[in-house]
Amino acid sequence: MMRQGTEQRLSGQAQIRASGARQAGPFFGAIDLGTNNCRLMIAAGTPNGFRVVDSFNRSVRLGEGLRVSGRLAEESMTRALDALRICVERMRQWPLSHVRAVATEACRRAVNGREFLERVQTEIGLTIDIITAREEAELALESCSPLFRMPSRPPSQSERGVLFDIGGGSTEVAWVRVDQERKSQTLIGTTSMPVGVITLQEMFGEGHGSSYEEMVSHVQSHLVGFENVHRIRREVAQGNACLLGTSGTVTTLAGVALALPRYNRAAIDGLTLPGQIMRSAIDTLRSLARDHLAMHPCVGQDRVKYVLPGCAIFEAIHRTWPIEEVTIADRGLRDGMLLRMARDHGQRFTRERRRTHRHVTPRSRGPLGNYATI
């Protein structure tokens, strides 16, 4: 695979595997190498937007041990390289016009982060750019912008929104001006907290018992400065702010709240839940012993170490800004990169979906009740 500038042009000779994709427009690929996961998404342009034709996600724990050593460990880099090789092989199956690959907090922070990415280039021919925390927040905003809304109020000229993205090594928070009439968002300010699910787990453990509240307090301490600058609580008290989260943590909590037998993106992305229901889902997870937590259909063995640290980050954000409803996004950097690449090459991209927003209402009693989309 040849590297040209920030994006990589791939051979147009690759076979299109999906029969329905033959009439699609240009194909784009996006790779997000995070502190915890390596993710790939490939999308095809369609007359109505874009359709995901292939995706891949693997937990590589690239930032494991980074907080103490300041370096990426050899075992972590090996896991990431193995996952990236799979990404490259899958991309070769499609006639991609352009690809962009980015790395985030682990490679930003590690003293050998750039050295590792040079190794990636040498060994598998893939060039990965380290993006700033600001660009990371901008990409998340770009992908999630259709989900911003004020569900309980009629449209007015300008409201506000908090967007948060819980990662493995950091958590990005953005304060956004939402213009509902023009359906546009403007980034007012961002912060990147040096706390993610891996860093919290390494600092406090897996979050069972009293360590959970210690994690929540630790994260809240990192939010104080951002709150002092932007006075978000004032807007929250006036009912003038919405809350939107994108990460495995919030999608997991939504899956728990809906009692899903297995994760279902179509049921989660764009869903709006009361904050109380999200907090009740946390209580449900906290009540489970580790073995039962690992067997939960929305958690699993690979994520059992990190699910409660992620819950602590969400709870710290929601305690700081107790907004009544939370919108959940199963989208992020990859979607944002695809949107940018498509726009830069003259393609109007929006991710195809049947419905953008859904609320839930209780259908029966219970600790959380059962919820159905309407």
Side-chain angles (χ1 to χ4, degrees):
M1 185 162 30
M2 305 235 359
R3 161 73 172 161
Q4 299 290 341
T6 300
E7 296 171 353
Q8 298 148 71
R9 292 189 173 274
L10 305 180
S11 169
Q13 303 303 313
Q15 288 289 325
I16 300 177
R17 297 178 300 169
S19 59
R22 292 184 183 275
Q23 303 303 318
F27 289 78
F28 299 89
I31 294 175
D32 167 19
L33 179 61
T35 303
N36 195 28
N37 292 285
C38 176
R39 300 181 174 94
L40 163 72
M41 185 179 288
I42 298 171
T46 70
N48 297 319
F50 81 84
R51 178 164 49 90
V52 175
V53 296
D54 198 7
S55 63
F56 171 76
N57 183 5
R58 174 174 289 183
S59 174
V60 295
R61 307 189 307 281
L62 181 60
E64 198 169 61
L66 173 61
R67 185 185 67 86
V68 174
S69 69
R71 300 180 60 85
L72 302 178
E74 183 61 35
E75 297 85 352
S76 301
M77 292 188 287
T78 298
R79 288 192 297 265
L81 280 165
D82 289 343
L84 290 167
R85 286 189 181 96
I86 295 173
C87 292
V88 168
E89 185 57 36
R90 292 178 80 144
M91 288 191 296
R92 285 178 177 150
Q93 308 305 310
W94 299 91
L96 301 186
S97 299
H98 292 83
V99 170
R100 191 179 184 202
V102 302
T104 55
E105 181 69 8
C107 290
R108 281 197 298 260
R109 188 185 304 180
V111 296
N112 60 338
R114 293 188 181 278
E115 177 184 330
F116 168 63
L117 297 184
E118 290 173 2
R119 179 179 169 187
V120 172
Q121 169 66 49
T122 299
E123 293 189 17
I124 62 178
L126 178 68
T127 299
I128 302 178
D129 300 319
I130 300 176
I131 59 172
T132 65
R134 171 96 183 179
E135 184 175 359
E136 191 172 350
E138 289 171 347
L139 286 168
L141 175 60
E142 188 145 6
S143 66
C144 295
S145 60
L147 304 181
F148 271 109
R149 65 205 183 92
M150 301 292 293
S152 302
R153 300 178 59 189
S156 64
Q157 281 197 327
S158 181
E159 278 105 5
R160 302 289 185 269
V162 176
L163 169 65
F164 64 93
D165 183 358
I166 301 171
S170 65
T171 296
E172 274 60 53
V173 180
W175 182 228
V176 181
R177 180 179 296 108
V178 182
D179 189 324
Q180 294 202 93
E181 290 184 344
R182 297 181 180 180
K183 297 182 178 180
S184 64
Q185 298 80 33
T186 304
L187 197 60
I188 300 171
T190 66
T191 186
S192 180
M193 299 186 293
V195 288
V197 297
I198 290 181
T199 50
L200 276 191
Q201 186 273 326
E202 292 180 347
M203 292 175 69
F204 297 98
E206 296 182 12
H208 301 283
S210 61
S211 65
Y212 181 83
E213 283 298 330
E214 293 175 5
M215 288 192 289
V216 173
S217 297
H218 180 74
V219 177
Q220 283 184 296
S221 69
H222 285 278
L223 293 168
V224 171
F226 196 65
E227 163 61 27
N228 289 342
V229 170
H230 296 287
R231 303 295 181 184
I232 297 171
R233 289 184 68 90
R234 180 175 56 194
E235 299 287 346
V236 173
Q238 295 173 358
N240 195 36
C242 57
L243 183 62
L244 196 157
T246 172
S247 70
T249 294
V250 291
T251 57
T252 294
L253 289 175
V256 172
L258 295 177
L260 296 180
R262 65 185 63 83
Y263 185 73
N264 181 351
R265 181 187 186 275
I268 297 298
D269 185 50
L271 180 72
T272 296
L273 287 169
Q276 178 184 352
I277 294 299
M278 296 288 278
R279 299 273 286 272
S280 295
I282 292 175
D283 293 340
T284 296
L285 294 177
R286 291 190 64 196
S287 70
L288 299 176
R290 191 185 193 279
D291 289 347
H292 291 126
L293 195 59
M295 291 187 293
H296 195 286
C298 293
V299 180
Q301 187 62 49
D302 288 344
R303 300 179 58 239
V304 68
K305 290 171 59 175
Y306 306 119
V307 65
L308 293 184
C311 290
I313 296 173
F314 169 80
E315 187 149 353
I317 292 170
H318 196 252
R319 286 185 190 179
T320 302
W321 303 306
I323 298 169
E324 290 185 4
E325 295 182 324
V326 184
T327 298
I328 297 96
D330 185 349
R331 55 183 75 190
L333 299 190
R334 295 174 299 171
D335 301 77
M337 287 187 282
L338 289 169
L339 289 165
R340 283 191 177 181
M341 280 187 284
R343 186 177 62 244
D344 291 346
H345 294 86
Q347 182 83 8
R348 182 183 177 274
F349 257 36
T350 56
R351 186 162 184 175
E352 287 187 347
R353 53 178 296 117
R354 292 182 180 178
R355 303 178 69 180
T356 302
H357 303 300
R358 300 180 303 283
H359 273 77
V360 295
T361 53
R363 301 176 75 175
S364 64
R365 296 179 181 177
L368 293 179
N370 294 317
Y371 291 83
T373 59
I374 59 172

